Amino acid sequence: MPDPLSEPPRHVWLMGLANTTYGYLYAVPLVTVPQQLAARGVPEPEIANIGAMVMALSLATFALAPVLDTSMSRRKWSVTLGFLATALALAVLLLPTSSALLTPGLAAMALATSLYNAAIGGWLGAALPKSCDETVGTWFGIGNALGFSLGAMCQFWLLTHLPTPLGSLAVAGIGVLTMPILLALPSPSADRKAMRETFGTLARDVAHLARRGPVLRIAGLLAMPCAAFTLTNAFGGLGGDFHASASVVGAANGMGQMVASLLGALAIRLVMTRMPAPLLYLLVGSVGAAFTLLLLPLPHTAPVYVLAVLGECAAQTCAQVVQNAIIFRSIAPEDPLASSQFGLLQSALIVPYAYMQALDGYGYRLAGGVAGSLLMDAGVSLAACAIMAMPVLRWLRNGRLEADLKAHPGLIR
């Protein structure tokens, strides 16, 4: 097999679509279960708090991600975690929505799904040439968005139109359909090195990784709420606020999100060739927040609901594509700690998803309606972009946001 770092491989776009499983499974805690809870009459702030708790508990990804760089190859970890996350999703969907095990089950499923994402992200980041970073980052984001949209479109429908447990089994079955894409991913040489790592050496290397300047700066940028757009995670339960029917909610959060995500990802890929990714990230956050503010004076009708869902979804996908490019560029070729670093940075970007979901719910409760969520989300994002603008410009001038291509942190002894 050719050295995966010597020449750009074919079908990089297909490799990025391995992330479809991640997006599809995350639709369970962020869209499908909220729809079930809303149908049962659970208040929106309570639904938002459950989502925020699930996202917060998935931050344990960084603590567990170093295991992905030892013991087994990333290929085996990816397959194992993909099937584990799907099995946990099935178990959660078989629970009654009033069960005390619902939130812990969603958190465990989200954690396994995030670890799957870290495994394939580290795998691709270490195996592909740096010239592929923008391409794989784009399709990694498209895979996430397409999977999430597919889940939003079909999961609730399957659960409500098929008898128990056939609906839950159908949802889980779709979740593993894209797993064969993993066969298209190259085998990085770092896998063989990682299998020989001892946990003592690994701990020392991870501590070194956590002190690396570029990693810390990127983690700080991603942990700020510049472009989380967490309203997309709440729209499944907000249809009633806009007097939108269940069919409109399903279409907007399903096929509508899928089309908006695809167009947004491909459009931002073209802009990425003309602007540094970190600066573009702040621009996406600012423009998306401005769009959110423009929704405030509009009437709460079904067409405005569709506009809000599509606009917020396109903005979130653009942000995620740029995030992926930033993270992939930060990983050195054949880095034996690639999954650890990917897990750290993914955990950093999950941070604003956790607290912004809670803040959006607080804004809803404070203002007594969805206008409070819109104002809270946009205001916090604009403030974060303004705070990070000068540091990002300074880091870009000094080249302090990219990987050191001359040395691997995992090789320092």
Side-chain angles (χ1 to χ4, degrees):
M1 178 179 179
D3 182 351
L5 296 174
S6 63
E7 57 185 53
R10 299 176 60 188
H11 308 309
V12 173
W13 64 271
L14 180 61
M15 299 177 192
L17 290 180
N19 206 33
T20 303
T21 300
Y22 170 77
Y24 177 81
L25 291 177
Y26 247 111
V28 173
L30 297 183
V31 176
T32 304
V33 172
Q35 283 182 303
Q36 290 179 308
L37 294 172
R40 193 166 61 84
V42 177
E44 167 56 29
E46 185 175 336
I47 296 175
N49 286 338
I50 292 174
M53 185 179 301
V54 168
M55 296 300 291
L57 291 174
S58 66
L59 293 175
T61 300
F62 172 58
L64 297 176
V67 178
L68 306 177
D69 289 318
T70 188
S71 180
M72 292 195 300
S73 70
R74 293 185 188 119
R75 185 188 300 275
K76 291 179 181 178
W77 274 120
S78 299
V79 172
T80 300
L81 289 166
F83 281 108
L84 174 62
T86 304
L88 289 172
L90 173 61
V92 166
L93 293 174
L94 289 173
L95 291 172
T97 53
S98 59
S99 173
L101 296 176
L102 182 66
T103 301
L106 287 171
M109 191 221 81
L111 179 58
T113 306
S114 296
L115 286 169
Y116 167 81
N117 175 260
I120 59 174
W123 182 358
L124 288 170
L128 295 177
K130 305 315 292 176
S131 60
C132 296
D133 286 339
E134 284 76 15
T135 302
V136 73
T138 299
W139 287 97
F140 209 70
I142 289 175
N144 177 24
L146 292 182
F148 189 83
S149 300
L150 177 62
M153 183 167 53
C154 73
Q155 289 174 0
F156 186 71
W157 187 92
L158 289 171
L159 293 172
T160 54
H161 286 76
L162 293 179
T164 305
L166 292 183
S168 300
L169 288 170
V171 170
I174 294 173
V176 299
L177 289 181
T178 57
M179 294 286 286
I181 294 177
L182 296 175
L183 298 174
L185 274 63
S187 298
S189 59
D191 273 352
R192 294 189 294 273
K193 298 173 185 175
M195 291 175 66
R196 295 197 297 268
E197 293 277 346
T198 66
F199 281 95
T201 303
L202 184 66
R204 185 178 65 185
D205 289 340
V206 170
H208 174 82
L209 170 66
R211 293 193 300 269
R212 291 181 66 214
V215 175
L216 290 178
R217 284 185 281 273
I218 292 172
L221 172 63
L222 298 179
M224 290 290 287
C226 300
F229 301 112
T230 48
L231 287 171
T232 58
N233 302 335
F235 276 132
L238 292 176
D241 292 70
F242 290 87
H243 311 290
S245 65
S247 60
V248 170
V249 171
N253 288 281
M255 184 60 69
Q257 276 201 12
M258 187 178 295
V259 174
S261 297
L262 182 60
L263 294 178
L266 294 177
I268 204 67
R269 171 70 178 91
L270 297 177
V271 182
M272 248 192 315
T273 62
R274 296 168 172 81
M275 182 181 295
L279 195 59
L280 179 59
Y281 179 60
L282 298 182
L283 179 62
V284 169
S286 301
V287 172
F291 170 81
T292 304
L293 290 175
L294 291 176
L295 296 173
L296 283 171
L298 299 181
H300 292 178
T301 61
V304 173
Y305 175 81
V306 174
L307 173 65
V309 171
L310 299 186
E312 295 288 330
C313 178
Q316 187 182 65
T317 301
C318 289
Q320 290 173 344
V321 166
V322 181
Q323 286 171 342
N324 290 334
I326 293 171
I327 293 174
F328 280 122
R329 283 201 69 80
S330 74
I331 299 175
E334 296 191 86
D335 190 341
L337 291 176
S339 289
S340 300
Q341 181 167 326
F342 197 93
L344 167 62
L345 297 178
Q346 281 289 323
S347 296
L349 69 85
I350 287 175
V351 170
Y353 284 83
Y355 63 75
M356 282 304 297
Q357 187 108 356
L359 283 176
D360 290 345
Y362 177 72
Y364 185 101
R365 184 166 58 251
L366 197 64
V370 69
S373 294
L374 295 173
L375 186 58
M376 178 70 75
D377 196 272
V380 173
S381 293
L382 284 173
C385 289
I387 290 171
M388 294 305 299
M390 291 306 296
V392 167
L393 287 171
R394 185 170 64 253
W395 294 337
L396 286 173
R397 281 197 302 268
N398 299 330
R400 301 171 71 184
L401 289 176
E402 295 189 4
D404 181 0
L405 301 183
K406 298 179 181 179
H408 303 153
L411 298 181
I412 295 177
R413 293 289 180 260

